[in-house]
């Protein structure tokens, strides 16, 4: 049996084997207008959305998509001849193990197999390749990074102003501890913090 004849049986076989639950499309949790926050309120709202919603999950590949990826590999990679019964059993194993994977992961598997293997991959080789696949970064991850960038930029502005003698202001305790480590603040015996610049003047680099 040729590779194409064997692969042509996949659609009918996968239809019977595949768990209907794997074909359901997960609801999208896209966040419109992702951008760097400009205020604390925007940052808080974006962070809340990112931590309380589920990332978008790509749906499982359709039966036709699964069959096409297997046919793609069969056209490029040789495999030993199989009789019809053995071919059906082999198809059933691939369908059972790969049936719940998203289309993008299967496409990655097929391309990688054709570029790196000399023979049609075993089920284990297929799963090993898919294990290396990395899906696109979710909107939630992007949102968290934007919030982190906003907080980092705000801290940098605060520490710069602090070294120039500006008031400490209402900032997180962690920021004050970092400022102490960087020499911009002192922590007194009563636990309070004071700006070094307020008592010693703005920091001035020593001339070489």
């Amino acid at each position: 049996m040729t590779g194409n004849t064997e692969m042509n049986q996949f659609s009918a076989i996968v239809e019977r084997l595949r768990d209907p639950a794997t074909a359901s499309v997960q609801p999208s949790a896209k966040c419109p207008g992702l951008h760097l926050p400009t205020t604390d309120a925007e940052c808080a709202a974006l962070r809340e959305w990112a931590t309380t919603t589920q990332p978008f999950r790509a749906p499982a590949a359709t039966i036709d998509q699964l069959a096409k990826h297997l046919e793609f590999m069969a056209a490029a990679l040789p495999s030993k001849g199989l009789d019809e019964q053995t071919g059906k059993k082999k198809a059933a194993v691939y369908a059972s193990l790969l049936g719940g994977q998203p289309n993008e992961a299967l496409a990655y598997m097929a391309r990688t197999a054709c570029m790196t293997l000399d023979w049609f991959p075993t089920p284990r080789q297929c799963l090993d390749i898919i294990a290396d696949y990395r899906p696109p970064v979710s909107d939630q991850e992007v949102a968290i990074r934007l919030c982190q960038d906003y907080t980092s930029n705000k801290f940098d502005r605060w520490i710069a102003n602090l070294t120039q003698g500006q008031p400490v202001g209402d900032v997180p305790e962690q920021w004050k501890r970092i400022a102490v480590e960087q020499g911009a603040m002192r922590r007194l015996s009563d636990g309070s913090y004071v700006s070094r610049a307020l008592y010693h003047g703005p920091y001035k680099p020593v001339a070489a």
Side-chain angles (χ1 to χ4, degrees), residues 193-208:
Y193 294 87
V194 295
S195 169
R196 287 182 179 273
L198 288 177
Y199 291 91
H200 304 288
Y203 170 77
K204 297 180 180 179
V206 179

Side-chain angles (χ1 to χ4, degrees), residues 111-178:
R111 292 194 303 270
T112 303
C114 289
M115 290 188 295
T116 60
L117 301 179
D118 295 324
W119 294 88
F120 194 90
T122 65
R124 179 176 179 178
Q125 287 175 310
C126 288
L127 293 175
D128 285 344
I129 293 174
I130 290 176
D132 291 333
Y133 170 73
R134 295 295 178 267
V137 176
S138 70
D139 282 353
Q140 283 78 1
E141 291 176 284
V142 173
I144 291 297
R145 291 179 184 177
L146 287 171
C147 289
Q148 292 172 341
D149 289 344
Y150 170 81
T151 302
S152 179
N153 293 340
K154 184 179 178 181
F155 171 81
D156 289 342
R157 291 194 300 271
W158 173 78
I159 199 74
N161 290 335
L162 189 68
T163 57
Q164 294 301 315
Q166 296 296 320
V168 174
D170 184 16
V171 297
E173 180 75 12
Q174 183 183 11
W175 287 20
K176 298 176 184 178
R177 294 176 180 175
I178 295 175

Side-chain angles (χ1 to χ4, degrees), residues 1-141:
M1 179 181 296
T2 64
N4 285 336
T5 302
E6 179 183 331
M7 292 305 125
N8 287 337
Q9 300 174 1
F10 265 80
S11 292
I13 296 172
V14 176
E15 183 69 47
R16 294 194 300 270
L17 289 175
R18 193 167 182 178
D19 182 354
T22 64
S24 62
V25 178
Q26 299 292 331
S28 172
K30 294 281 185 178
C31 177
L34 283 174
H35 59 81
L36 185 67
T38 58
T39 65
D40 290 350
E42 285 185 6
C43 184
L46 188 60
R47 189 183 300 275
E48 181 180 5
W49 173 84
T51 56
T52 58
T53 60
Q54 291 296 322
F56 172 78
R57 291 182 58 189
T62 65
I63 296 166
D64 287 342
Q65 288 171 331
L66 172 59
K68 286 180 180 179
H69 292 308
L70 294 169
E71 290 170 0
F72 180 81
M73 292 191 297
L77 300 171
S79 59
K80 67 177 182 179
L82 301 172
D83 57 42
E84 183 174 356
Q85 186 63 29
T86 303
K88 288 182 178 179
K89 290 180 179 180
K90 180 179 179 180
V93 171
Y94 282 87
S96 177
L97 293 176
L98 303 177
Q101 298 291 342
N103 185 56
E104 293 78 5
L106 294 176
Y108 173 83
M109 173 200 72
R111 292 194 303 270
T112 303
C114 289
M115 290 188 295
T116 60
L117 301 179
D118 295 324
W119 294 88
F120 194 90
T122 65
R124 179 176 179 178
Q125 287 175 310
C126 288
L127 293 175
D128 285 344
I129 293 174
I130 290 176
D132 291 333
Y133 170 73
R134 295 295 178 267
V137 176
S138 70
D139 282 353
Q140 283 78 1
E141 291 176 284

